[in-house]
Each structure stands twice: as structure tokens, then as C-alpha cells.
């Protein structure tokens, strides 16, 4: 599964919760987290793993943070090979967290079975902020943080994306993207 979304959408938190649910069901889970690299030093914080404290201690989980090192598309130059290695290593589920979202950070969509776009509610003009390119590639749009005072904005954003997806050309004859 490939996951992308804007900063603060809760990608790492979602992955930790989902990953823990899978390991509790006896699945082996691999997480390939991609972090941006500094254009000055080339370094990266690789902080996604620190947000997955429970999952990082789980013996049925493997978390590998990697810097982009200037690669565009939201993944690293070797993400596809890393996915294959994890599958070959016996991991049942491979979760790829992209560097973040933009109009063209969806290279992972061609590497995974399902591409999930994770969005927070009430983040401004969502349909303007998340442009057509990444929406066209999403197999699933998940509105995250949809509780408390954000229930109403989450429902509104859900309705907007359901409408927007109806206007896009279908990528598959059998699957219709869900929101």
C-alpha cells in the first residue's frame, strides 16, 4: 500500500495504528518511510520512525526510513527494489509512506497494489490545494482526523471529493476510487 498526503494529515500515526492492527492479526508488516532531503547538505531527519514508537518495537514489524536524496515523485530511487526485498523477505504487507503530497508526488502509485491519499479535514481549499494529478492516481481517499469538532468539515470534504472523483477518467474497469 502506498500512502501520501499533506504534512500533518496523520500519515505516520495512521500507519502505526494500521500496522499494529495487522501485527496483532499475525501479519508481518514492513514500513518504508520516505523523508525529504536537504538540498543544501543532502541530509534527512528520518523522523517518521520516531512517530511509530509502538510499531517500531513490534517483532513482526520492520520500519525503514530513507531520504529522497533529490529524487522526485515522493519516493526514493530504490523504493521499488526495497518493496521487492520486503516481499521476498516474507513480509505480508508493505506500507510505503511518501515524502508528502503535491501535484506530482505519486510515483508510488505504480509500485503498489493500492494508493491511498490521506487528507485532513478543514485544511483550507482542499480541492485547490490537492490538484488533479494525485487525485487521478488515488485508489482510496481517506479523510483522517474526522472526529470531534472536525466531523462536519470532514463530511463536507468527503462530499467534495466524491463529486470531484466523478469528473475524472477511470483508471480501472473494475475499481472505482472510494472516499
Amino acid at each position: 500500500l502506498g500512502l501520501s498526503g499533506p504534512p500533518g494529515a496523520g500519515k505516520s500515526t495512521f500507519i502505526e495504528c494500521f500496522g499494529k492492527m495487522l501485527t496483532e492479526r499475525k501479519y508481518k508488516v514492513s514500513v518504508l518511510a520516505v523523508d525529504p532531503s536537504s538540498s543544501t547538505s543532502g541530509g534527512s531527519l528520518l523522523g517518521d520512525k520516531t512517530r511509530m514508537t509502538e510499531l517500531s518495537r513490534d517483532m513482526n514489524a520492520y520500519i525503514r526510513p530513507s531520504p529522497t536524496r533529490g529524487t522526485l515523485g515522493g519516493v526514493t530511487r530504490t523504493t521499488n527494489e526495497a518493496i521487492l526485498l520486503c516481499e521476498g523477505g516474507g513480509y505480508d504487507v508493505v506500507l510505503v509512506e511518501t515524502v508528502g503530497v503535491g501535484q506530482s508526488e505519486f510515483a508510488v502509485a505504480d509500485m503498489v497494489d493500492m494508493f491511498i491519499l490521506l487528507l485532513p479535514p478543514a485544511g483550507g481549499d482542499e480541492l485547490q490545494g490537492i490538484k488533479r494529478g494525485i487525485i487521478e492516481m488515488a485508489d482510496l481517499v481517506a479523510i483522517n482526523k474526522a472526529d470531534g469538532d472536525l466531523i462536519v468539515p470532514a463530511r463536507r470534504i468527503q462530499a467534495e471529493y466524491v463529486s470531484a472523483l466523478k469528473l475524472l477518467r477511470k483508471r480501472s474497469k473494475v475499481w472505482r476510487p472510494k472516499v
Side-chain angles (χ1 to χ4, degrees):
L1 301 172
L3 292 108
S4 192
K11 295 180 296 291
S12 296
T13 303
F14 174 85
I15 289 171
E16 175 161 68
C17 292
F18 187 60
K20 286 297 294 175
M21 180 198 74
L22 291 169
T23 59
E24 287 168 5
R25 294 179 182 184
K26 306 299 181 216
Y27 290 99
K28 286 183 67 181
V29 176
S30 175
V31 177
L32 303 174
V34 182
D35 285 324
S37 297
S38 166
S39 57
T40 306
S41 69
S44 183
L45 292 176
L46 305 177
D48 289 322
K49 187 173 182 176
T50 63
R51 287 189 224 104
M52 301 178 208
T53 54
E54 291 288 318
L55 193 59
S56 67
R57 291 191 297 254
D58 192 315
M59 294 305 292
N60 285 317
Y62 168 73
I63 302 174
R64 169 70 180 172
S66 299
T68 58
R69 291 190 181 105
T71 303
L72 301 177
V75 293
T76 71
R77 184 178 51 81
T78 58
T79 296
N80 199 49
E81 289 83 356
I83 292 169
L84 294 172
L85 285 170
C86 290
E87 289 174 343
Y91 288 92
D92 304 302
V93 179
V94 180
L95 303 171
V96 182
E97 179 182 357
T98 70
V99 73
V101 73
Q103 295 177 35
S104 59
E105 279 78 27
F106 52 76
V108 72
D110 292 327
M111 300 176 189
V112 296
D113 296 319
M114 177 172 264
F115 177 53
I116 302 168
L117 179 59
L118 207 62
L119 300 173
D125 186 358
E126 281 78 6
L127 287 175
Q128 180 61 26
I130 309 296
K131 300 286 185 170
R132 186 174 181 126
I134 199 164
I135 295 171
E136 288 176 317
M137 301 306 290
D139 296 306
L140 179 68
V141 177
I143 312 299
N144 200 20
K145 301 181 179 185
D147 57 357
D149 294 340
L150 296 175
I151 291 173
V152 172
R155 295 278 184 227
R156 185 178 66 250
I157 297 307
Q158 177 187 19
E160 288 178 12
Y161 274 92
V162 166
S163 295
L165 286 171
K166 288 178 185 174
L167 301 174
L168 302 177
R169 190 172 358 149
K170 308 297 184 255
R171 285 183 29 175
S172 168
K173 292 181 189 322
V174 296
W175 178 258
R176 300 281 184 248
K178 309 285 186 227
V179 180

